[in-house]
Amino acid sequence: MNPLEIGDDCLVLAQRLAEWVTRAPTLEEDVALANLSLDLLGQARALLSRAGNEDELAYLREPGQFRNCLLTEQPNGDFARTIVRHLFYAGFLYEMYRAHPEDEVAAKGVKEIAYHRDYAALWTRRLGLGTEESHRRMTAALDALWPFTGELFAADPGLREPWSAFVETTLAESGLAVPREARQRDGGRRGEHTPHLSELLAEMQALHREHAGATW
Amino acid sequence: MSLEEARALAAAVPDPELPVLTLGDLGIVREVRRDAGGGLEVVITPTYSGCPAMDAIREDIGKALPGARVVTVLAPPWSTDWITDEGRRKLREHGLSPPRRTDGPVALTLGVRCPRCGSPRTRLVSRYGSTACKAMYACQECLEPFDHFKEI
């Protein structure tokens, strides 16, 4: 498990999820998404501290120096898009952590991510089986994010099989179809990102860049 | 100060987010020992990776045991099974449903009881609550909403 790659995944996805705070569809989901974000931020801090100085890595790197996968930097979109992104990513991170029980961040994180996976699967069922509108939005989200799933397994192809089993079972239970094979996109692990990462970092790093070393 | 006394002082520090419980009740203080130079060392572990109370906990231990060094470890990962019986009793008394055991013979599918009226007819409202460690439930008997300490 590469601490910079997985640490960046967790940091970027934590920032994305935090963007929902005060904007989620209901108060319960506002609280839930903030909690998902917090778990990932804690894991990011532990992993990035292993790769170097956590603050310097988070606040002082340029987009091209980040190693997160493209999936995690994709914008929140509607609630369906956020849920599908989390279904795909938490499904992957759960398998990654489970494959590394000797790693203390993974051994702790797997218990937290098990809840994330359940949360995303539960909402996938609700929205897939909900109304025509929620079903349509879920289908659109699946099609939009599917091209970013291949990159997850570049370092560890063995994780794909259990991930696929989880995703396929969840989608089948939700009345949703697995997207047809689409042209896959990658580059995040090499620092070649979509423009969305620059926007995310501009907001995340603004305070630290303006007031270096500031404390509360 | 003996190690025994230091242990008792560290364990008696209240949790900043759930002040009815002490760090000892929660199983957060893993060890109190002497380092090579004879100084006190308190080993703690976070409940969740992103627990925002860790800084406050370190500070509070420092106040209870001036000069002690606080060391944070992640392994073995904290489990709600480490919450003591005393801690569980206090949770119930304060209207929080204690976590079910994950290591015992009782299956996790066993329902969550309302801490107010004791009814097993409860409903999960959200798996996430006001702090990382809690889920939101509602009682279908007395209609009271309550927090459940979720198993991890």
Side-chain angles (χ1 to χ4, degrees), chain B residues 31-85:
Chain B
E31 203 186 342
V32 177
R33 62 191 181 207
R34 298 257 176 223
D35 62 20
L40 273 177
E41 215 169 52
V42 181
V43 183
I44 58 172
T45 195
T47 52
Y48 280 74
S49 304
C51 177
M54 290 308 281
D55 287 337
I57 290 174
R58 272 188 285 270
E59 234 172 76
D60 292 348
I61 292 176
K63 279 182 206 145
L65 291 169
R69 209 165 71 87
V70 181
V71 183
T72 307
V73 297
L74 292 180
W78 182 81
S79 162
T80 41
D81 291 334
W82 295 354
I83 299 179
T84 61
D85 288 339

Side-chain angles (χ1 to χ4, degrees), chain A residues 65-139:
Chain A
Q65 296 172 294
F66 275 76
R67 291 292 175 268
N68 60 287
C69 61
L70 300 181
L71 177 66
T72 52
E73 71 201 35
Q74 296 311 302
N76 288 335
D78 57 11
F79 189 64
R81 185 79 67 109
T82 290
I83 291 301
V84 169
R85 189 184 59 203
H86 216 69
L87 182 79
F88 289 164
Y89 190 76
F92 159 74
L93 190 57
Y94 178 78
E95 299 302 339
M96 173 62 90
Y97 282 167
R98 224 162 53 114
H100 295 279
E102 77 292 346
D103 182 306
E104 59 182 26
V105 177
K108 186 163 186 63
V110 73
K111 301 208 274 181
E112 296 161 3
I113 297 301
Y115 275 101
H116 289 220
R117 222 170 67 120
D118 286 353
Y119 173 84
L122 187 71
W123 268 111
T124 298
R125 278 198 292 279
R126 278 187 192 160
L127 296 172
L129 302 171
T131 63
E132 212 173 289
E133 172 78 0
S134 68
H135 189 275
R136 184 185 63 74
R137 285 177 183 247
M138 283 301 278
T139 303

Side-chain angles (χ1 to χ4, degrees), chain A residues 1-198:
Chain A
M1 189 168 79
N2 182 319
L4 192 59
E5 291 181 359
I6 303 298
D8 279 350
D9 282 357
C10 291
L11 177 66
V12 168
L13 189 54
Q15 179 71 14
R16 276 285 180 237
L17 290 165
E19 290 170 6
W20 273 107
V21 173
T22 74
R23 293 175 177 83
T26 66
L27 185 57
E28 283 80 4
E29 298 324 309
D30 208 290
V31 168
L33 293 164
N35 271 292
L36 301 182
S37 173
L38 195 56
D39 284 344
L40 289 169
L41 185 62
Q43 293 163 24
R45 292 186 62 183
L47 289 167
L48 292 180
S49 295
R50 195 181 288 174
N53 177 295
E54 55 170 331
D55 285 336
E56 284 173 16
L57 287 171
Y59 294 125
L60 298 176
R61 275 183 301 164
E62 301 294 331
Q65 296 172 294
F66 275 76
R67 291 292 175 268
N68 60 287
C69 61
L70 300 181
L71 177 66
T72 52
E73 71 201 35
Q74 296 311 302
N76 288 335
D78 57 11
F79 189 64
R81 185 79 67 109
T82 290
I83 291 301
V84 169
R85 189 184 59 203
H86 216 69
L87 182 79
F88 289 164
Y89 190 76
F92 159 74
L93 190 57
Y94 178 78
E95 299 302 339
M96 173 62 90
Y97 282 167
R98 224 162 53 114
H100 295 279
E102 77 292 346
D103 182 306
E104 59 182 26
V105 177
K108 186 163 186 63
V110 73
K111 301 208 274 181
E112 296 161 3
I113 297 301
Y115 275 101
H116 289 220
R117 222 170 67 120
D118 286 353
Y119 173 84
L122 187 71
W123 268 111
T124 298
R125 278 198 292 279
R126 278 187 192 160
L127 296 172
L129 302 171
T131 63
E132 212 173 289
E133 172 78 0
S134 68
H135 189 275
R136 184 185 63 74
R137 285 177 183 247
M138 283 301 278
T139 303
L142 286 164
D143 288 341
L145 295 176
W146 191 255
F148 298 105
T149 53
E151 186 183 21
L152 297 172
F153 308 103
D156 207 338
L159 302 179
R160 184 192 278 276
E161 198 184 311
W163 178 87
S164 294
F166 162 70
V167 168
E168 282 165 21
T169 307
T170 306
L171 294 183
E173 287 168 359
S174 312
L176 292 162
V178 177
R180 273 195 301 261
E181 281 312 314
R183 216 182 74 124
Q184 292 291 316
R185 300 186 55 179
D186 64 7
R189 302 290 190 218
R190 297 188 300 273
E192 295 162 16
H193 292 278
T194 58
H196 305 301
L197 182 67
S198 306

Side-chain angles (χ1 to χ4, degrees), chain B residues 101-124:
Chain B
R101 296 266 179 198
T102 64
D103 56 352
V106 185
L108 260 182
T109 47
L110 197 76
V112 167
R113 280 181 180 273
C114 171
R116 188 181 139 95
C117 74
S119 168
R121 281 185 58 227
T122 59
R123 182 174 65 86
L124 175 69

